[in-house]
Amino acid sequence: MVRPVHPKLLSAFFTVLILCLGLATPVHAAVGPAPSARTVVDLDHGWRFHQGDVAGAEAPGHDDSGWESVSVPHTWNARDGEDGGNDYYRGPGWYRRTVRIPAGRVFLQFDGATIVSDVWVNGRKAGHHAGGYAAFRFDVTGLAAPGTDATVAVRVDNSTNADVLPLGGDFTVFGGLTRDVHLLVTGPVHVDALDYGGPGVYVRQTVNGMGTVRAASANLAVTTRVANDTAEPVRAKVRTVITDAAHRTVATASGHVDVGPGAVVPVVQNASVTEPHLWNGRPDPYLYTARAEVSYGGHTDVVTVPLGIRTVAVDANRGFLLNGRPYAVHGVDLHGMRAGEGSAMSASDVDQDFGLIDRLGATGVRLVHYQHGQRIYDLADRRGIVLWTEIPNLASITVSDAFFANARQQLLELIRQNEQHAAVAVWGIGNELYTSSADANRLLGDLAATVRAEDPSRPSTYATCCFSDTDPIANHSATIGYNRYFGWYGGSFSDIGPWADGLHAQDPARKIAVSEYGAGASVVEQQTDPAAPVPASHFHPEEWQALYHEENWRQLRSRTYLWGTFVWQMFDSAVDGRDEGDRPGLNDKGLVTADRKIAKDAYYWYQANWSSAPVVHIAQRRDTPRFTPATDVKVYADTRSVSLSLNGVPLGSRTPEDHIATWSGVTLKPGANVLEARSGGTTDRVTWLLDTSTGATTVDADATDPHASDGRVLRTAGRAYREGTFAYRFPVANGTYDVDLAFAEPDRSGVFNVNAERQRVIKSLDVRAEVGVRAPLHKTFTVQVTDGVLDLEFVPQAGEAVVSHITATRRSGQ
């Protein structure tokens, strides 16, 4: 819900904008905590949920005793949204819970609900919101009496809606209350809570005399939207306090404002910080805090926002400029979802994700393809990660006033809710529209104009893929990103550099980024000397992805006119319509698996290039067992020298060339081979099995068999089983094999697929659902072996894959 500025006060606003402004206080002045009448009540727990529509579910007396008990964040597509088939449920779902209504001005806040939401309190309509990824609030004061228990009912619908973004896209649209829910309680005169979900406090800055760490000064214009929800005019005090990272006050301003009944008045107060410490990205992400206080009638409402003092710009030749200096933005595209949870991610999930990005050494993240939760933006501020953030305007559009209005609404929500974040550098107005019609161009033009009007301090951007590089669709935003997959969807690894040079020469004023580049990879699919895979096939060897990124990064890093480069993508992500690689329902171009358990080799290639921490990583580590003794060993490293040993025997040291150290012609012995790479105190170790046997026509292997790659061997009730994401590779004679898999369900497992010879032979197996806990289950199938190796892949959809025993017998007469 958006509260407009009261029309009777609009003209007065421009003449009394700046009121009784104070001067900056000394840098080391202490500041104590301000009194606050604002409280936030967590409403994440105690919900009842029903999938599907229910007549009358908004009524307080509706019987929901048979509904499922859930907590939020929650999605109803955690299972079916990532199992393939493009058949996941898209429709309505209902949530209900009881809430004790406090005294005061009460707002119900949803941090995200996908896609369209309607909310009732005690059967009375609180509001309607269209858009699945931005926060929104409704004023629910008066819908239930203070001190009483009220029923909150929410109908959420993730059906495709012709009037609401997104209409398409290569990702699952997870339905539900996918982020936190709160009650926000203020006094009757307060900082506006209904400004497109924003904080109601906004800081614009002018930085003067830029230095390396500090500037000469920063002039701050702090806008506080003051809302009066009483029936009488009021005179409120407004105070702005700027504090540094040590919580010392560095500037203040104060004054009074007259606000009419039911009105909102934006108040701008100016303050100046002398010799401000600049926000300088990863090397020095220094943050101040801006605090706004609105006082009236004994109540003080306080809102604080982060403040990083810096400038951002993009130059067609020098690339991205942070505080007037070139700053290399290289990083990843990030979806807000993970295996088994969909987009209903917890705070600890987000923290883990950002930790992996931080350790990678990325300086930038593109948040795709929608607004993410506030925790991501807060972490980026604190860790100095430059952000590209965008609205879900992708694939197709509806030519209607309603659709265009919704696109603008979602863009305004994105900007108002996130403009206080120093990390945000560009506003994305869309991605990969599959039309360059006049209407599509008009929409992008309108959105680019909205960015210019709302936030002239940051440029707009757009990611294009599907037309010529200079098509009109790529000409509306102030900067432009290109989604290019040379060496995956056609072309070769080495094409991306000449392509970028050609475009830069053709249009030297164009401000260019590579917004996506990447290749698929399965951690259970290995090929020592990989050939180019077919993207739509069921074989995406991990080695090819590593080679792809090695060469693509070599090409990109030297093109300093590129203002940003973003790997597609940080984590494998759910796309229920895909069926490729080792499983359906997944885009497997991530540097890390969707469950965050395995970082692929390509992750370590970038870590060796980007991170300041010592990196030593033996590549092709999951390429086991091996069937020929002679092999090369490749190690990614960012150290001066790396030593390698095999079974305790030193093989010498190498100086990495372009972050790669190579030992050629290493000879493995039959059985287990332990390789250890070392540089100083940093060590990496892998075990490769060499099996040179041939001609076997049977397999009889338990969970501990060394022909497995990855996974963990555990025991339950004396019986061993392997769990995780893993594969077995058995050398056998060619022919047709009858395979029997035995499963003894442990206390924990999940839903998983089994692939044999790159074909899916068992889909969505849930052992516990079929036979219960610790009961035996057998699954049989027939497979043709043509390359002398029986490949079996165990790939989770949710939780872990498991197996206890494997037998395979070649059919007679072959």
Side-chain angles (χ1 to χ4, degrees):
M1 182 174 178
V2 179
R3 184 203 302 267
V5 178
H6 195 283
K8 292 183 179 179
L9 296 173
L10 197 56
S11 60
F13 161 64
F14 291 105
T15 58
V16 296
L17 190 64
I18 301 172
L19 305 169
C20 305
L21 304 183
L23 300 177
T25 60
V27 170
H28 295 292
V31 60
S36 174
R38 175 172 292 210
T39 58
V40 178
V41 181
D42 173 18
L43 298 182
D44 282 355
H45 306 289
W47 291 91
R48 309 285 285 181
F49 167 71
H50 177 83
Q51 182 171 311
D53 220 350
V54 181
E58 72 278 9
H62 182 83
D63 182 8
D64 59 17
S65 60
W67 292 17
E68 180 184 358
S69 295
V70 301
S71 295
V72 301
H74 174 265
T75 177
W76 56 72
N77 298 123
R79 176 73 66 86
D80 68 351
E82 55 186 29
D83 63 356
N86 202 28
D87 56 356
Y88 67 103
Y89 175 75
R90 298 195 66 174
W94 280 87
Y95 296 85
R96 288 167 52 92
R97 66 156 288 168
T98 300
V99 176
R100 174 60 60 92
I101 301 298
R105 204 73 196 176
V106 183
F107 301 88
L108 193 54
Q109 175 173 325
F110 298 86
D111 290 346
T114 311
I115 299 177
V116 175
S117 304
D118 293 278
V119 180
W120 293 263
V121 176
N122 274 356
R124 302 170 67 183
K125 190 68 174 283
H128 170 86
H129 183 263
Y133 303 101
F136 57 96
R137 302 185 186 105
F138 298 129
D139 187 341
V140 299
T141 310
L143 298 184
T148 65
D149 290 332
T151 298
V152 174
V154 187
R155 183 185 188 273
V156 186
D157 192 335
N158 71 332
S159 303
T160 300
N161 186 315
D163 292 333
V164 182
L165 283 64
L167 293 186
D170 194 23
F171 59 93
T172 296
V173 179
F174 290 95
L177 293 178
T178 54
R179 296 187 189 140
D180 298 327
V181 182
H182 320 270
L183 275 185
L184 173 65
V185 187
T186 73
V189 179
H190 54 89
V191 178
D192 185 16
L194 299 178
D195 186 31
Y196 290 95
V201 177
Y202 311 100
V203 183
R204 295 292 167 85
Q205 53 184 275
T206 302
V207 183
N208 310 299
M210 194 75 68
T212 303
V213 176
R214 295 183 178 272
S217 65
N219 299 326
L220 308 178
V222 182
T223 299
T224 301
R225 290 172 56 94
V226 181
N228 173 18
D229 285 321
T230 74
E232 303 293 334
V234 301
R235 185 170 177 80
K237 180 180 179 180
V238 182
R239 183 169 182 257
T240 297
V241 180
I242 308 298
T243 57
D244 65 13
H247 310 293
R248 297 171 299 194
T249 298
V250 296
T252 63
S254 64
H256 291 80
V257 61
D258 295 318
V259 188
V264 176
V265 174
V267 177
V268 178
Q269 296 186 323
N270 290 334
S272 179
V273 178
T274 303
E275 295 187 353
H277 193 142
L278 299 173
W279 188 89
N280 257 315
R282 282 190 64 115
D284 189 9
Y286 191 91
L287 288 173
Y288 293 84
T289 297
R291 187 174 78 217
E293 303 172 2
V294 173
S295 301
Y296 174 77
H299 294 275
T300 298
D301 188 26
V302 178
V303 172
T304 62
V305 295
L307 171 61
I309 296 176
R310 91 292 181 262
T311 64
V312 296
V314 176
D315 184 87
N317 294 305
R318 302 171 67 203
F320 185 80
L321 304 179
L322 178 61
N323 299 325
R325 293 174 174 80
Y327 184 80
V329 177
H330 48 71
V332 293
D333 295 293
L334 178 66
H335 262 300
M337 59 181 72
R338 68 164 50 197
E341 300 177 22
S343 56
M345 295 174 62
S346 68
S348 61
D349 291 337
V350 175
D351 292 348
Q352 182 191 19
D353 286 0
F354 236 76
L356 286 163
I357 293 169
D358 197 19
R359 290 191 292 277
L360 180 66
T363 61
V365 172
R366 179 182 172 217
L367 299 176
V368 296
H369 284 299
Y370 37 76
Q371 182 173 332
H372 288 227
Q374 275 299 301
R375 195 172 188 88
I376 283 281
Y377 300 90
D378 290 337
L379 289 170
D381 280 348
R382 296 198 293 267
R383 299 191 186 184
I385 305 294
V386 172
L387 294 181
W388 165 335
T389 187
E390 63 192 39
I391 60 172
N393 178 33
L394 63 166
S396 61
I397 69 170
T398 300
V399 183
S400 70
D401 291 343
F403 183 87
F404 277 49
N406 184 257
R408 184 175 186 275
Q409 168 208 309
Q410 293 200 42
L411 181 58
L412 288 173
E413 289 171 332
L414 178 72
I415 295 173
R416 299 283 175 91
Q417 292 176 31
N418 297 293
E419 68 174 272
Q420 71 273 18
H421 291 290
V424 173
V426 293
W427 302 115
I429 60 175
N431 174 80
E432 292 191 359
L433 288 178
Y434 298 146
T435 174
S436 185
S437 65
D439 291 306
N441 280 277
R442 177 167 62 90
L443 174 61
L444 291 183
D446 290 349
L447 295 174
T450 298
V451 170
R452 289 193 298 272
E454 280 289 308
D455 184 7
S457 71
R458 296 179 177 95
S460 59
T461 195
Y462 173 75
T464 187
C465 74
C466 311
F467 302 94
S468 75
D469 294 336
T470 56
D471 185 271
I473 204 75
N475 295 338
H476 301 286
S477 54
T479 69
I480 187 68
Y482 292 89
N483 299 342
R484 293 291 180 260
Y485 290 86
F486 297 109
W488 184 249
Y489 296 123
S492 67
F493 297 159
S494 59
D495 289 344
I496 197 164
W499 161 79
D501 289 343
L503 176 57
H504 184 53
Q506 177 188 356
D507 189 356
R510 187 173 291 263
K511 300 172 182 179
I512 305 166
V514 176
S515 38
E516 296 178 18
Y517 68 103
S522 163
V523 296
V524 297
E525 295 178 342
Q526 306 294 324
Q527 192 172 36
T528 304
D529 297 308
V534 176
S537 75
H538 294 298
F539 187 59
H540 290 177
E542 184 180 3
E543 290 82 358
W544 184 264
Q545 184 196 49
L547 294 175
Y548 172 99
H549 282 294
E550 288 174 20
E551 184 56 30
N552 269 259
W553 177 242
R554 291 187 187 108
Q555 296 279 317
L556 292 171
R557 67 187 174 193
S558 62
R559 271 80 182 177
T560 56
Y561 57 81
L562 296 172
W563 67 261
T565 58
F566 301 89
V567 173
W568 185 272
Q569 56 185 326
M570 182 62 190
F571 304 106
D572 293 343
S573 61
V575 188
D576 200 52
R578 282 187 179 245
D579 187 2
E580 60 190 41
D582 65 26
R583 73 195 76 183
L586 190 78
N587 185 325
D588 65 356
K589 298 184 184 72
L591 301 179
V592 179
T593 55
D595 58 10
R596 280 50 168 181
K597 293 180 179 179
I598 302 175
K600 304 175 190 180
D601 282 346
Y603 176 94
Y604 294 97
W605 160 249
Y606 283 110
Q607 190 179 51
N609 278 269
W610 296 347
S611 174
S612 59
V615 175
V616 174
H617 174 81
I618 301 172
Q620 298 182 275
R621 62 199 306 105
R622 282 170 282 276
D623 187 6
T624 183
R626 296 179 173 226
F627 308 110
T628 57
T631 187
D632 294 343
V633 179
K634 178 168 67 175
V635 176
Y636 294 137
D638 61 358
T639 58
R640 292 183 178 181
S641 178
V642 182
S643 63
L644 183 71
S645 65
L646 173 63
N647 300 321
V649 178
L651 299 181
S653 298
R654 299 285 188 274
T655 299
E657 296 182 10
D658 193 13
H659 304 288
I660 296 176
T662 304
W663 287 259
S664 300
V666 174
T667 302
L668 306 178
K669 69 176 182 61
N673 291 264
V674 178
L675 286 158
E676 182 177 280
R678 180 184 295 273
S679 179
T682 304
T683 302
D684 191 29
R685 184 181 294 108
V686 299
T687 299
W688 288 342
L689 175 72
L690 175 65
D691 187 345
T692 58
S693 63
T694 60
T697 58
T698 61
V699 171
D700 188 0
D702 67 11
T704 65
D705 192 281
H707 290 82
S709 66
D710 262 339
R712 300 164 297 281
V713 176
L714 303 174
R715 293 183 182 274
T716 297
R719 181 159 185 170
Y721 64 94
R722 186 174 293 272
E723 75 164 16
T725 303
F726 54 90
Y728 286 86
R729 300 165 73 192
F730 300 103
V732 296
N734 291 339
T736 302
Y737 285 78
D738 293 314
V739 180
D740 180 277
L741 304 181
F743 307 91
E745 169 69 3
D747 293 330
R748 59 181 186 179
S749 76
V751 180
F752 58 96
N753 300 325
V754 179
N755 305 326
E757 293 299 290
R758 304 170 191 171
Q759 299 297 319
R760 196 161 296 110
V761 292
I762 301 175
K763 181 179 179 182
S764 300
L765 177 61
D766 186 337
V767 179
R768 180 173 301 186
E770 291 204 24
V771 296
V773 177
R774 300 182 186 174
L777 175 68
H778 287 262
K779 292 288 184 179
T780 60
F781 54 87
T782 300
V783 65
Q784 186 76 26
V785 175
T786 60
D787 61 356
V789 178
L790 173 61
D791 284 295
L792 300 174
E793 301 167 0
F794 295 78
V795 183
Q797 291 176 253
E800 306 282 11
V802 296
V803 73
S804 300
H805 201 92
I806 301 169
T807 60
T809 305
R810 192 174 72 166
R811 290 185 173 179
S812 60
Q814 299 187 58

